[in-house]
Amino acid sequence: MKLKFLIMSILSLAFISSCSEKEVSNKAFVLDTIITINIYDTNITQKEKNKLIEESIEICKDYEQKLSKTISNNEVYLLNNSNGNSVTVSDNTLFLIKNSLYYSDLSDGAFDITVKPLIDLWDIKSENPTVPNYTDIKNALESVDYKNIEITNNSVTLKNGSQIDFGGIAKGYISDKIKEYLLDNGCNSAVINLGGNVVTIGEQEDGSSWKVGLQKPFSSSGEVIAVINIIDKSVVTSGAYERYFEKDGKVYHHIIDPKTGYPSTQELNSVTIISDKSIDGDALSTSCFVLGLEKGMLLLENIDNVDGIFINNNNEVFTTSGEGKTFSLDLLEK
Ligand code: AMP
Ligand code: MG
Protein backbone atom coordinates (compact mmCIF):
# COMPACT_ATOMS: atom_id res chain seq x y z
CA MET A 1 0.00 0.00 0.00
CA LYS A 2 2.78 2.34 0.99
CA LEU A 3 4.58 1.49 -2.22
CA LYS A 4 1.58 2.42 -4.30
CA PHE A 5 1.13 5.72 -2.50
CA LEU A 6 4.72 6.72 -2.96
CA ILE A 7 4.75 5.90 -6.63
CA MET A 8 1.66 8.01 -7.06
CA SER A 9 3.34 10.91 -5.37
CA ILE A 10 6.30 10.71 -7.70
CA LEU A 11 4.04 10.72 -10.66
CA SER A 12 2.44 13.78 -9.13
CA LEU A 13 5.22 15.69 -10.79
CA ALA A 14 3.43 14.91 -13.99
CA PHE A 15 -0.04 13.59 -13.26
CA ILE A 16 -1.72 14.32 -9.94
CA SER A 17 -0.87 17.97 -10.13
CA SER A 18 -2.15 18.25 -13.64
CA CYS A 19 -5.61 17.87 -12.10
CA SER A 20 -5.00 21.05 -10.14
CA GLU A 21 -6.39 24.17 -11.75
CA LYS A 22 -3.46 26.18 -10.53
CA GLU A 23 -0.74 24.15 -12.19
CA VAL A 24 0.27 24.59 -15.80
CA SER A 25 2.63 22.27 -17.59
CA ASN A 26 3.90 21.61 -21.07
CA LYS A 27 6.17 19.15 -22.85
CA ALA A 28 8.44 19.40 -25.84
CA PHE A 29 11.06 17.28 -27.55
CA VAL A 30 14.35 19.16 -27.37
CA LEU A 31 17.96 18.13 -26.66
CA ASP A 32 17.12 14.63 -27.87
CA THR A 33 14.82 14.14 -24.93
CA ILE A 34 11.42 15.03 -23.50
CA ILE A 35 11.43 18.24 -21.54
CA THR A 36 8.63 19.11 -19.16
CA ILE A 37 8.09 22.37 -17.31
CA ASN A 38 5.49 22.54 -14.53
CA ILE A 39 4.62 25.81 -12.83
CA TYR A 40 2.59 25.69 -9.62
CA ASP A 41 2.94 29.22 -8.30
CA THR A 42 -0.42 30.54 -7.09
CA ASN A 43 0.54 34.18 -7.57
CA ILE A 44 0.90 33.86 -11.33
CA THR A 45 -2.05 33.83 -13.73
CA GLN A 46 -2.66 30.84 -16.01
CA LYS A 47 -1.90 33.02 -19.01
CA GLU A 48 1.37 34.18 -17.54
CA LYS A 49 2.30 30.57 -16.66
CA ASN A 50 1.72 29.51 -20.26
CA LYS A 51 3.92 32.34 -21.46
CA LEU A 52 6.71 31.45 -19.01
CA ILE A 53 6.62 27.80 -20.08
CA GLU A 54 6.66 28.68 -23.76
CA GLU A 55 9.61 30.97 -23.21
CA SER A 56 11.42 28.29 -21.13
CA ILE A 57 11.09 25.83 -24.02
CA GLU A 58 12.43 28.51 -26.37
CA ILE A 59 15.44 29.02 -24.07
CA CYS A 60 16.06 25.30 -24.29
CA LYS A 61 15.83 25.24 -28.07
CA ASP A 62 18.09 28.26 -28.31
CA TYR A 63 20.82 26.61 -26.20
CA GLU A 64 20.46 23.40 -28.15
CA GLN A 65 21.29 25.37 -31.31
CA LYS A 66 24.25 26.98 -29.57
CA LEU A 67 25.73 23.94 -27.84
CA SER A 68 24.96 20.86 -29.92
CA LYS A 69 27.94 19.29 -31.66
CA THR A 70 25.76 18.25 -34.59
CA ILE A 71 24.45 21.68 -35.59
CA SER A 72 26.52 23.44 -38.26
CA ASN A 73 28.21 26.73 -37.64
CA ASN A 74 27.57 27.12 -33.94
CA GLU A 75 30.60 27.75 -31.72
CA VAL A 76 31.02 24.07 -30.87
CA TYR A 77 31.07 23.25 -34.58
CA LEU A 78 33.58 26.04 -35.25
CA LEU A 79 35.81 24.79 -32.44
CA ASN A 80 35.59 21.19 -33.62
CA ASN A 81 36.56 22.25 -37.13
CA SER A 82 39.18 24.81 -36.16
CA ASN A 83 42.24 22.65 -36.97
CA GLY A 84 44.12 24.05 -34.03
CA ASN A 85 43.30 27.70 -34.77
CA SER A 86 41.86 29.79 -31.97
CA VAL A 87 38.15 30.62 -31.97
CA THR A 88 36.56 33.52 -30.12
CA VAL A 89 33.56 32.24 -28.20
CA SER A 90 30.65 33.81 -26.31
CA ASP A 91 30.65 34.14 -22.53
CA ASN A 92 28.14 31.26 -22.27
CA THR A 93 30.35 28.81 -24.17
CA LEU A 94 33.38 30.00 -22.25
CA PHE A 95 31.58 29.46 -18.94
CA LEU A 96 30.65 25.92 -19.96
CA ILE A 97 34.20 25.09 -21.08
CA LYS A 98 35.68 26.52 -17.87
CA ASN A 99 33.25 24.54 -15.72
CA SER A 100 34.03 21.40 -17.70
CA LEU A 101 37.75 21.91 -17.14
CA TYR A 102 37.14 22.51 -13.44
CA TYR A 103 35.43 19.11 -13.15
CA SER A 104 38.11 17.44 -15.27
CA ASP A 105 40.72 18.60 -12.79
CA LEU A 106 38.58 17.67 -9.81
CA SER A 107 37.84 14.17 -11.12
CA ASP A 108 41.39 13.55 -12.33
CA GLY A 109 40.20 13.36 -15.93
CA ALA A 110 37.16 11.10 -15.38
CA PHE A 111 35.05 13.95 -16.75
CA ASP A 112 36.43 15.15 -20.07
CA ILE A 113 34.55 16.97 -22.84
CA THR A 114 37.28 16.01 -25.34
CA VAL A 115 35.80 12.47 -25.39
CA LYS A 116 33.95 13.48 -28.57
CA PRO A 117 35.93 11.25 -31.00
CA LEU A 118 35.13 8.27 -28.77
CA ILE A 119 31.44 9.19 -28.51
CA ASP A 120 31.33 9.43 -32.32
CA LEU A 121 33.12 6.11 -32.68
CA TRP A 122 30.82 4.23 -30.31
CA ASP A 123 27.80 6.01 -31.84
CA ILE A 124 25.49 4.49 -29.26
CA LYS A 125 22.53 6.58 -30.44
CA SER A 126 22.62 4.91 -33.87
CA GLU A 127 20.19 2.15 -34.80
CA ASN A 128 22.69 -0.71 -34.77
CA PRO A 129 25.63 0.24 -32.60
CA THR A 130 28.63 -2.11 -32.61
CA VAL A 131 31.80 -2.47 -30.57
CA PRO A 132 34.51 -0.48 -32.41
CA ASN A 133 37.80 -2.20 -33.11
CA TYR A 134 40.65 -1.60 -30.73
CA THR A 135 42.85 0.24 -33.26
CA ASP A 136 40.13 2.83 -33.87
CA ILE A 137 39.67 3.30 -30.13
CA LYS A 138 43.41 3.72 -29.68
CA ASN A 139 43.54 6.29 -32.48
CA ALA A 140 40.59 8.23 -31.08
CA LEU A 141 42.16 8.22 -27.61
CA GLU A 142 45.15 10.16 -28.92
CA SER A 143 43.23 13.43 -29.08
CA VAL A 144 41.31 12.87 -25.82
CA ASP A 145 42.82 15.11 -23.16
CA TYR A 146 41.18 18.11 -21.56
CA LYS A 147 44.64 19.66 -21.21
CA ASN A 148 44.51 20.23 -24.98
CA ILE A 149 41.99 23.01 -24.34
CA GLU A 150 43.69 26.39 -24.05
CA ILE A 151 41.89 29.57 -23.04
CA THR A 152 43.06 33.16 -23.36
CA ASN A 153 40.28 35.63 -22.52
CA ASN A 154 37.41 34.57 -24.83
CA SER A 155 39.70 32.83 -27.25
CA VAL A 156 39.75 29.01 -27.18
CA THR A 157 42.25 26.74 -28.91
CA LEU A 158 41.88 22.97 -29.23
CA LYS A 159 45.31 21.47 -29.66
CA ASN A 160 46.36 18.05 -31.00
CA GLY A 161 43.15 17.53 -32.96
CA SER A 162 40.91 17.59 -29.88
CA GLN A 163 37.16 18.06 -30.30
CA ILE A 164 34.51 18.70 -27.67
CA ASP A 165 31.09 17.32 -26.70
CA PHE A 166 28.99 19.04 -24.02
CA GLY A 167 26.67 16.00 -23.65
CA GLY A 168 27.75 15.38 -20.05
CA ILE A 169 27.11 18.91 -18.77
CA ALA A 170 24.83 20.89 -21.11
CA LYS A 171 21.47 19.77 -19.74
CA GLY A 172 22.45 20.85 -16.24
CA TYR A 173 23.60 24.22 -17.49
CA ILE A 174 20.45 24.81 -19.52
CA SER A 175 18.21 23.77 -16.59
CA ASP A 176 19.96 26.36 -14.44
CA LYS A 177 19.33 29.00 -17.12
CA ILE A 178 15.61 28.14 -17.18
CA LYS A 179 15.43 28.28 -13.39
CA GLU A 180 17.12 31.70 -13.46
CA TYR A 181 14.62 32.93 -16.04
CA LEU A 182 11.62 31.67 -14.05
CA LEU A 183 12.90 33.16 -10.78
CA ASP A 184 13.56 36.50 -12.51
CA ASN A 185 9.95 36.44 -13.61
CA GLY A 186 8.55 35.96 -10.13
CA CYS A 187 7.98 32.21 -10.24
CA ASN A 188 8.58 30.58 -6.86
CA SER A 189 7.23 27.07 -7.30
CA ALA A 190 8.10 25.00 -10.37
CA VAL A 191 9.72 21.82 -11.65
CA ILE A 192 11.93 21.77 -14.74
CA ASN A 193 12.61 18.30 -16.13
CA LEU A 194 15.01 17.96 -19.04
CA GLY A 195 14.85 14.23 -19.68
CA GLY A 196 15.39 13.25 -16.06
CA ASN A 197 17.61 16.21 -15.24
CA VAL A 198 15.22 17.61 -12.63
CA VAL A 199 15.49 21.12 -11.20
CA THR A 200 13.02 22.33 -8.61
CA ILE A 201 12.16 25.88 -7.65
CA GLY A 202 11.12 26.45 -4.04
CA GLU A 203 8.76 23.94 -2.48
CA GLN A 204 5.33 22.50 -3.24
CA GLU A 205 2.36 24.79 -2.72
CA ASP A 206 1.51 23.13 0.61
CA GLY A 207 5.07 23.66 1.83
CA SER A 208 6.13 20.06 1.42
CA SER A 209 9.20 18.83 -0.44
CA TRP A 210 9.24 17.76 -4.06
CA LYS A 211 9.25 14.03 -4.62
CA VAL A 212 11.46 12.78 -7.39
CA GLY A 213 11.41 9.13 -8.41
CA LEU A 214 14.73 7.35 -8.67
CA GLN A 215 14.49 4.88 -11.51
CA LYS A 216 15.29 1.23 -10.98
CA PRO A 217 18.23 0.62 -13.35
CA PHE A 218 17.42 -1.47 -16.44
CA SER A 219 13.76 -1.82 -15.43
CA SER A 220 11.79 -1.94 -18.67
CA SER A 221 8.61 -0.69 -17.01
CA GLY A 222 10.21 2.43 -15.56
CA GLU A 223 9.95 1.07 -12.01
CA VAL A 224 11.04 3.30 -9.16
CA ILE A 225 13.53 2.10 -6.56
CA ALA A 226 13.35 5.09 -4.20
CA VAL A 227 11.86 8.53 -3.74
CA ILE A 228 14.11 11.55 -3.23
CA ASN A 229 12.61 14.41 -1.21
CA ILE A 230 14.11 17.81 -1.95
CA ILE A 231 13.36 21.52 -1.73
CA ASP A 232 14.80 24.02 -4.23
CA LYS A 233 17.47 21.59 -5.46
CA SER A 234 18.62 19.88 -8.62
CA VAL A 235 18.61 16.09 -9.05
CA VAL A 236 20.65 14.65 -11.91
CA THR A 237 21.24 10.98 -12.72
CA SER A 238 23.86 9.37 -14.92
CA GLY A 239 22.84 5.80 -15.62
CA ALA A 240 24.26 2.94 -17.64
CA TYR A 241 20.66 2.05 -18.53
CA GLU A 242 19.90 5.42 -20.12
CA ARG A 243 21.65 4.60 -23.41
CA TYR A 244 23.22 1.23 -24.07
CA PHE A 245 23.35 -1.83 -26.28
CA GLU A 246 24.14 -5.44 -25.48
CA LYS A 247 26.62 -7.64 -27.31
CA ASP A 248 27.47 -11.18 -26.27
CA GLY A 249 25.73 -10.64 -22.95
CA LYS A 250 27.73 -7.52 -22.14
CA VAL A 251 26.28 -4.04 -21.67
CA TYR A 252 27.96 -1.18 -23.57
CA HIS A 253 26.64 2.16 -22.32
CA HIS A 254 27.15 5.80 -23.20
CA ILE A 255 29.48 6.97 -20.41
CA ILE A 256 33.03 6.58 -21.62
CA ASP A 257 36.12 6.27 -19.49
CA PRO A 258 38.49 8.79 -21.13
CA LYS A 259 41.46 6.71 -19.97
CA THR A 260 40.46 3.46 -21.69
CA GLY A 261 38.15 4.59 -24.49
CA TYR A 262 35.55 2.00 -23.43
CA PRO A 263 32.30 2.46 -21.48
CA SER A 264 33.38 2.75 -17.87
CA THR A 265 33.49 -0.73 -16.42
CA GLN A 266 32.59 0.23 -12.91
CA GLU A 267 30.42 -1.69 -10.56
CA LEU A 268 27.74 1.00 -10.81
CA ASN A 269 24.35 1.12 -12.50
CA SER A 270 23.70 4.79 -11.74
CA VAL A 271 24.83 7.86 -9.83
CA THR A 272 22.44 10.61 -8.79
CA ILE A 273 23.64 13.99 -7.60
CA ILE A 274 21.67 16.42 -5.44
CA SER A 275 23.03 19.95 -5.66
CA ASP A 276 21.99 23.59 -5.79
CA LYS A 277 23.19 24.15 -9.34
CA SER A 278 22.35 21.56 -11.95
CA ILE A 279 25.52 22.22 -13.94
CA ASP A 280 27.47 20.86 -10.94
CA GLY A 281 25.13 17.89 -10.57
CA ASP A 282 25.41 17.05 -14.26
CA ALA A 283 29.22 17.18 -14.39
CA LEU A 284 29.51 15.32 -11.09
CA SER A 285 27.08 12.54 -11.94
CA THR A 286 29.11 11.71 -15.06
CA SER A 287 32.40 12.09 -13.14
CA CYS A 288 31.33 9.85 -10.26
CA PHE A 289 29.92 7.25 -12.61
CA VAL A 290 33.34 6.91 -14.23
CA LEU A 291 35.18 7.10 -10.90
CA GLY A 292 33.10 4.36 -9.28
CA LEU A 293 31.64 3.99 -5.80
CA GLU A 294 34.68 4.46 -3.61
CA LYS A 295 36.42 7.31 -5.40
CA GLY A 296 33.10 8.95 -6.32
CA MET A 297 31.95 8.93 -2.68
CA LEU A 298 35.24 10.39 -1.56
CA LEU A 299 34.98 13.17 -4.12
CA LEU A 300 31.44 14.09 -3.06
CA GLU A 301 32.17 14.00 0.67
CA ASN A 302 34.70 16.77 0.06
CA ILE A 303 32.26 19.12 -1.70
CA ASP A 304 29.91 21.27 0.38
CA ASN A 305 26.16 21.14 -0.29
CA VAL A 306 26.45 18.37 -2.84
CA ASP A 307 25.25 14.82 -2.18
CA GLY A 308 25.01 11.60 -4.08
CA ILE A 309 23.11 8.35 -4.37
CA PHE A 310 24.99 5.45 -5.94
CA ILE A 311 23.30 2.28 -7.18
CA ASN A 312 25.60 -0.66 -7.82
CA ASN A 313 25.19 -3.63 -10.16
CA ASN A 314 23.10 -5.47 -7.57
CA ASN A 315 20.82 -2.44 -7.26
CA GLU A 316 22.08 -1.76 -3.75
CA VAL A 317 21.78 1.89 -2.79
CA PHE A 318 24.57 3.94 -1.14
CA THR A 319 24.22 7.57 -0.07
CA THR A 320 26.61 10.29 1.09
CA SER A 321 26.46 11.54 4.66
CA GLY A 322 24.27 14.52 3.66
CA GLU A 323 21.18 12.30 3.65
CA GLY A 324 18.70 13.79 6.06
CA LYS A 325 20.29 17.23 5.71
CA THR A 326 20.09 18.25 2.06
CA PHE A 327 17.67 15.49 1.00
CA SER A 328 15.84 12.48 2.32
CA LEU A 329 15.36 9.14 0.66
CA ASP A 330 12.44 6.71 0.90
CA LEU A 331 13.63 3.33 -0.28
CA LEU A 332 10.91 1.24 -1.87
CA GLU A 333 12.97 -1.92 -2.10
CA LYS A 334 15.68 -3.44 -0.02
P1 AMP B 1 25.41 12.07 -18.57
O1 AMP B 1 24.14 11.39 -18.95
O2 AMP B 1 25.26 13.43 -18.02
O3 AMP B 1 26.30 11.24 -17.70
O4 AMP B 1 26.23 12.34 -19.91
C1 AMP B 1 26.56 11.34 -20.79
C2 AMP B 1 26.93 12.00 -22.08
O5 AMP B 1 28.13 12.79 -21.89
C3 AMP B 1 27.28 11.00 -23.15
O6 AMP B 1 26.16 10.67 -23.94
C4 AMP B 1 28.37 11.73 -23.93
O7 AMP B 1 27.80 12.66 -24.84
C5 AMP B 1 29.09 12.51 -22.86
N1 AMP B 1 30.16 11.77 -22.15
C6 AMP B 1 30.39 10.42 -22.09
N2 AMP B 1 31.43 10.12 -21.31
C7 AMP B 1 31.88 11.29 -20.83
C8 AMP B 1 32.96 11.65 -19.96
N3 AMP B 1 33.76 10.74 -19.40
N4 AMP B 1 33.15 12.97 -19.70
C9 AMP B 1 32.35 13.92 -20.25
N5 AMP B 1 31.33 13.65 -21.07
C10 AMP B 1 31.09 12.36 -21.36
MG1 MG C 1 26.30 14.54 -16.70
Side-chain angles (χ1 to χ4, degrees), residues 282-303:
D282 199 354
L284 281 169
S285 66
T286 311
S287 305
C288 289
F289 192 93
V290 175
L291 286 172
L293 181 60
E294 206 177 313
K295 286 187 184 161
M297 274 281 181
L298 198 64
L299 177 68
L300 296 185
E301 292 294 4
N302 284 308
I303 308 174

Side-chain angles (χ1 to χ4, degrees), residues 69 109-113 115 119 125 165-169 236-239 242-243 254-258 282 285-286 290:
K69 64 174 177 179
F111 185 84
D112 191 334
I113 53 171
V115 288
I119 305 297
K125 284 188 203 166
D165 174 344
F166 285 134
I169 193 167
V236 180
T237 297
S238 285
E242 286 172 334
R243 268 192 190 126
H254 68 134
I255 303 169
I256 306 293
D257 184 339
D282 199 354
S285 66
T286 311
V290 175

Side-chain angles (χ1 to χ4, degrees), residues 13 28 33-38 175 191-199:
L13 285 181
T33 189
I34 296 171
I35 65 167
T36 317
I37 320 269
N38 295 53
S175 317
V191 178
I192 302 152
N193 186 346
L194 306 192
N197 204 112
V198 178
V199 171

Side-chain angles (χ1 to χ4, degrees), residues 254-309:
H254 68 134
I255 303 169
I256 306 293
D257 184 339
K259 294 199 167 68
T260 65
Y262 285 83
S264 69
T265 54
Q266 291 298 341
E267 71 277 42
L268 296 174
N269 275 347
S270 73
V271 178
T272 299
I273 304 289
I274 294 117
S275 57
D276 290 324
K277 289 262 180 260
S278 200
I279 187 171
D280 300 321
D282 199 354
L284 281 169
S285 66
T286 311
S287 305
C288 289
F289 192 93
V290 175
L291 286 172
L293 181 60
E294 206 177 313
K295 286 187 184 161
M297 274 281 181
L298 198 64
L299 177 68
L300 296 185
E301 292 294 4
N302 284 308
I303 308 174
D304 286 342
N305 298 317
V306 170
D307 280 291
I309 305 164

